[in-house]
C-alpha cells in the first residue's frame, strides 16, 4: 500500500502516525536526525487551500510530534517550516510541515538550516532505513 504525497508515492511503512486528517511520515532526505514531515491526507498544493479542520489537525499533529521528537532526540528546540509555493522552495506540491529537532551546535549559524532545506543534493535514505525509523 502506498500513500500519495504530491507527485510522489510514499510506502505505508514510512508513515509513523495517522490522525483523522493528517499523516506523520519520515523524510527521504533528512537535514538532521529526526527530521520528519506532517502532511494532510488530502493532496493540497498550498497552505491557503486547506480547510480550517485540516489546518487545526495539521498543527495539533505537529505539536504532538514535535514534543515526542524533542524527548526522543534530547533536543531543546524545534525548527518547523512550510515551504509554501515554488518561490518559497516548495518542490513537492503537497502541503507539508518540516519538523526538525535541534540541539546546541547542530549548525554553526542557526539560519543555515534553511539553506540546507533548499539543497537538492542531499542523499536519499533507503526504504529499509526509513521503515525502521517509522516504527
Amino acid at each position: 500500500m502506498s500513500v500519495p504525497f504530491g507527485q510522489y508515492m510514499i510506502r505505508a511503512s514510512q508513515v509513523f502516525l495517522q490522525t483523522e486528517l493528517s499523516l506523520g511520515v519520515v523524510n527521504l532526505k533528512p537535514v538532521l536526525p529526526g527530521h520528519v514531515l506532517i502532511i494532510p491526507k488530502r493532496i493540497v498544493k498550498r497552505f491557503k487551500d486547506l480547510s480550517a479542520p485540516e489546518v487545526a489537525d495539521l498543527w495539533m499533529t505537529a505539536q504532538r510530534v514535535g514534543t515526542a521528537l524533542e524527548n526522543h532526540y534530547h533536543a531543546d528546540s524545534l525548527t518547523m517550516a512550510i515551504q509554501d509555493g515554488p518561490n518559497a522552495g516548495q518542490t513537492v506540491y503537497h502541503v507539508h510541515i518540516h519538523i526538525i529537532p535541534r540541539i546546541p551546535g547542530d549548525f554553526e549559524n542557526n539560519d543555515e538550516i534553511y539553506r540546507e532545506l533548499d539543497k537538492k543534493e542531499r542523499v536519499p535514505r533507503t526504504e529499509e532505513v526509513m521503515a525502521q525509523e517509522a516504527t
Side-chain angles (χ1 to χ4, degrees):
M1 178 179 146
S2 295
V3 176
F5 179 44
Q7 64 272 35
Y8 301 102
M9 295 300 286
I10 296 174
R11 290 182 184 261
S13 62
Q14 296 164 354
V15 175
F16 64 86
L17 178 67
Q18 181 168 227
T19 68
E20 181 183 350
L21 300 172
S22 303
L23 298 171
V25 300
V26 297
N27 197 320
L28 177 64
K29 299 177 183 179
V31 170
L32 289 170
H35 178 180
V36 300
L37 306 174
I38 306 301
I39 67 172
K41 287 182 177 178
R42 183 170 67 97
I43 299 173
V44 178
K45 290 182 182 181
R46 299 287 311 279
F47 185 80
K48 67 182 180 179
D49 298 322
L50 291 169
S51 69
E54 286 171 322
V55 170
D57 191 78
L58 198 69
W59 282 108
M60 293 298 294
T61 303
Q63 181 184 45
R64 177 179 166 195
V65 169
T67 299
L69 289 171
E70 278 196 39
N71 291 332
H72 183 79
Y73 288 94
H74 307 290
D76 64 1
S77 303
L78 296 168
T79 293
M80 293 188 181
I82 297 176
Q83 294 165 297
D84 191 34
N87 289 318
Q90 184 180 19
T91 57
V92 177
Y93 300 108
H94 188 147
V95 173
H96 54 287
I97 302 172
H98 293 265
I99 304 180
I100 307 167
R102 303 294 303 275
I103 59 172
D106 54 16
F107 283 95
E108 187 174 327
N109 175 343
N110 275 336
D111 285 347
E112 289 176 27
I113 195 160
Y114 300 109
R115 283 190 289 277
E116 192 64 30
L117 274 172
D118 283 338
K119 285 185 180 176
K120 307 298 181 254
E121 64 273 358
R122 289 193 317 266
V123 178
R125 301 185 301 165
T126 66
E127 291 175 15
E128 293 78 19
V129 168
M130 291 188 294
Q132 183 174 355
E133 181 181 345
T135 58

